[in-house]
Amino acid sequence: YFTGCRLAEVAALRAEDIHEGYISVEWQEERSLKTANSVRDVPLHPSLIELVEPLRQGKGHIWPRLMTTTTTNGVEVIRWGHNLSKPCRKMTGLKPKDFRDRFATQLRDHDFNQVNIERLMGHSSLDTNSTYGGKNWDRYVQMINCID
């Protein structure tokens, strides 16, 4: 919830993806991403920093059991966390996608720019004009820190 990441992005997180103050969402052989725009760095919310610090000390996937493999038409398909939606809903009353929606809603409620929200969440640009300009890391940190 505090990252705005997709369930599969978090489920496939590796110790090497956790840095001081941010996580990297990047393409891996065993974890594809939805689009090229999904590759991004996400600032850590202050409430997560202490929680993830011990995870940085390890190696490899933090939750390897969340990976499932199936073969379709002779092609191996790897999925991360796809079987978590029902348990999540049972425990919290919300689906993982609901957390992502709430994240975006809170950022909009804090009057953050829609383009920055989309970039932080790994969405593709809505139009050509939204691709101009660089990422504003300080603004992303401010966005993450406003989530409560």
Side-chain angles (χ1 to χ4, degrees):
Y1 167 67
F2 287 110
T3 65
C5 290
R6 295 174 181 93
L7 173 61
E9 294 169 349
V10 173
L13 199 65
R14 303 171 304 170
E16 297 86 356
D17 298 329
I18 304 172
H19 307 279
E20 189 173 329
Y22 70 98
I23 60 171
S24 291
V25 178
E26 48 191 51
W27 191 274
Q28 303 168 23
E29 182 66 30
E30 63 279 344
R31 177 186 71 190
S32 62
L33 297 174
K34 190 167 183 178
T35 70
N37 295 7
S38 297
V39 175
R40 66 201 186 280
D41 292 331
V42 179
L44 284 171
H45 189 276
S47 66
L48 293 179
I49 292 174
E50 188 176 322
L51 179 70
V52 301
E53 185 58 35
L55 302 175
R56 291 180 60 200
Q57 311 312 315
K59 285 193 182 270
H61 292 282
I62 296 169
W63 302 286
R65 290 183 172 175
L66 296 181
M67 182 179 84
T68 56
T69 307
T70 58
T71 303
T72 305
N73 296 330
V75 176
E76 183 180 68
V77 178
I78 299 172
R79 295 177 66 191
W80 285 91
H82 81 280
N83 55 352
L84 292 180
S85 189
K86 286 181 184 177
C88 180
R89 188 171 189 169
K90 186 175 182 180
M91 290 176 61
T92 66
L94 299 169
K95 298 175 290 197
K97 173 80 168 61
D98 296 335
F99 287 107
R100 227 167 111 77
D101 292 343
R102 183 171 176 214
F103 177 87
T105 299
Q106 278 202 31
L107 294 179
R108 283 186 206 100
D109 288 348
H110 281 89
D111 294 323
F112 285 103
N113 177 289
Q114 183 64 27
V115 172
N116 283 332
I117 294 170
E118 291 165 5
R119 286 182 179 169
L120 184 60
M121 295 180 71
H123 289 168
S124 58
S125 302
L126 291 177
D127 59 45
T128 305
N129 290 335
S130 67
T131 63
Y132 291 100
K135 63 182 178 182
N136 184 339
W137 185 255
D138 293 336
R139 192 69 166 158
Y140 291 168
V141 170
Q142 185 182 12
M143 291 165 70
I144 291 289
N145 289 347
C146 84
I147 299 295
D148 48 298

